[in-house]
Amino acid sequence: MPNGRRAVLRLAAALGATAAVGVFAADRLSAPDRAAGPGPGGTPGSGTGAGPGSAGPAAGPQAGTARLHPNAYRLQPMTAYAPPAYRRALPPVRQRPFLSVSGAGRSMVLTFDDGPDPRYTPGILDTLRRYDCRAMFFVCGEMAVENQDLLRRMAAEGHVVGNHSWSHPLIPGLRPSRIRDELGSTSEVVERALGTAPLWYRAPYGAWNRHSFEIGAELGMEPLAWTVDTLDWQEPGTDSIVRRVLDGAAPGVVVLNHDAGGDRSQSVAALRRYLPELLDAGYHVTVPRR
């Protein structure tokens, strides 16, 4: 091998050995027992207080915690400089509620108000699960707080839980502070049960006003009304409810049903009949996205 090439190889080997020694020396100098501050009765840099009159290792819950070598943090993320958690933007203040939804093909939305009621809501959930369909449940806070197990079942089975006020009052007759209480208290119950607050709300009786739109938007909710009213709250008979739904079926339609607020056995029975007919007719029963 030419003398010049041998000289270059020797120089590279010497530099590599020097770098390795430097790394090992830095690691030893940064070991926990030398990097620690003054220990009880010790001197700066001792870390153990092993000098004369030392009180020994510090007591307390941190005393037995092993300290990681600084090199252990080399691959850890710099969380102190991480961007803040994503927060959903507040919706705009509407002047009227949504009456229908847009979607691909023959999509429809089924909604149920006033619950959850342990007498009727489980039967509705059973039918929806049987046909693998999702729906929206606009719950009243005074019902939701007593039936949080049903709220959790709704969410677990893919349904959307919306806000229908606390006590089902006529919203336009309330002061803004009372509207805030009605909507805010219900959102809190839902959030405690499900971990997330409602993203949709519906005014009782479909009676909205400017304050309700403003407060709903402040709470992060969009207003949703309906296209087809089954009038099941009048208890008109199962046949009448079924006929109203099938006659009003169309792409984007939002159907109003009830699972509480009275005897809703007709609503439960009607769903068992009209849901498979809607599916056979090519409709896709779904929920809106936000």
Side-chain angles (χ1 to χ4, degrees):
M1 181 180 294
N3 292 334
R5 182 174 296 179
R6 289 195 187 97
V8 171
L9 290 176
R10 289 193 189 102
L11 178 60
L15 291 174
T18 302
V21 171
V23 170
F24 290 129
D27 285 349
R28 292 194 56 171
L29 289 175
S30 60
D33 60 335
R34 296 186 182 275
T43 58
S46 70
T48 62
S54 171
Q62 303 296 332
T65 303
R67 296 181 182 177
L68 291 176
H69 191 281
N71 289 335
Y73 294 100
R74 287 179 178 173
L75 299 180
Q76 299 298 318
M78 300 178 66
T79 54
Y81 300 98
Y86 170 78
R87 292 185 179 181
R88 185 184 296 271
L90 293 180
V93 176
R94 307 290 180 183
Q95 295 183 349
R96 60 182 61 86
F98 293 100
L99 299 176
S100 60
V101 297
S102 59
R106 294 161 66 84
S107 297
M108 291 179 57
V109 176
L110 301 181
T111 67
F112 299 86
D113 286 9
D114 299 351
D117 189 320
R119 296 172 295 176
Y120 309 111
T121 305
I124 290 172
L125 290 171
D126 290 344
T127 300
L128 292 169
R129 182 172 58 184
R130 176 182 177 186
Y131 293 100
D132 194 23
C133 292
R134 295 188 297 161
M136 301 182 72
F137 289 84
F138 287 92
V139 302
C140 289
E142 62 184 6
M143 299 293 291
V145 73
E146 300 295 335
N147 298 283
Q148 296 187 40
D149 56 330
L150 288 175
L151 291 184
R152 287 186 283 270
R153 180 182 172 185
M154 292 171 184
E157 296 180 3
H159 306 296
V160 172
V161 178
N163 188 325
H164 197 41
S165 81
W166 184 269
S167 60
H168 207 275
L170 192 61
I171 292 292
L174 304 182
R175 300 186 306 274
S177 60
R178 175 74 187 284
I179 298 174
R180 190 179 303 277
D181 288 343
E182 287 278 338
L183 295 179
S185 297
T186 302
S187 286
E188 288 177 5
V189 170
V190 173
E191 185 170 12
R192 284 199 302 269
L194 306 182
T196 56
L199 298 180
W200 298 89
Y201 75 106
R202 173 176 286 169
Y205 310 105
W208 317 76
N209 66 358
R210 177 174 59 86
H211 294 305
S212 67
F213 289 123
E214 292 173 351
I215 295 169
E218 290 174 11
L219 294 173
M221 299 185 293
E222 290 277 27
L224 180 66
W226 58 85
T227 314
V228 174
D229 187 350
T230 63
L231 298 179
D232 61 342
W233 54 275
Q234 295 181 348
E235 301 176 24
T238 301
D239 291 343
S240 175
I241 297 171
V242 172
R243 185 169 57 254
R244 284 182 176 275
V245 173
L246 297 180
D247 288 348
V253 157
V254 177
V255 181
L256 171 63
N257 302 274
H258 293 79
D259 63 332
D263 182 351
R264 300 301 176 227
S265 56
Q266 295 177 3
S267 304
V268 176
L271 179 65
R272 295 194 191 106
R273 287 176 48 186
Y274 70 68
L275 182 54
E277 292 195 38
L278 289 175
L279 299 176
D280 288 344
Y283 285 100
H284 177 55
V285 177
T286 186
V287 294
R289 292 186 177 181
R290 277 205 48 197

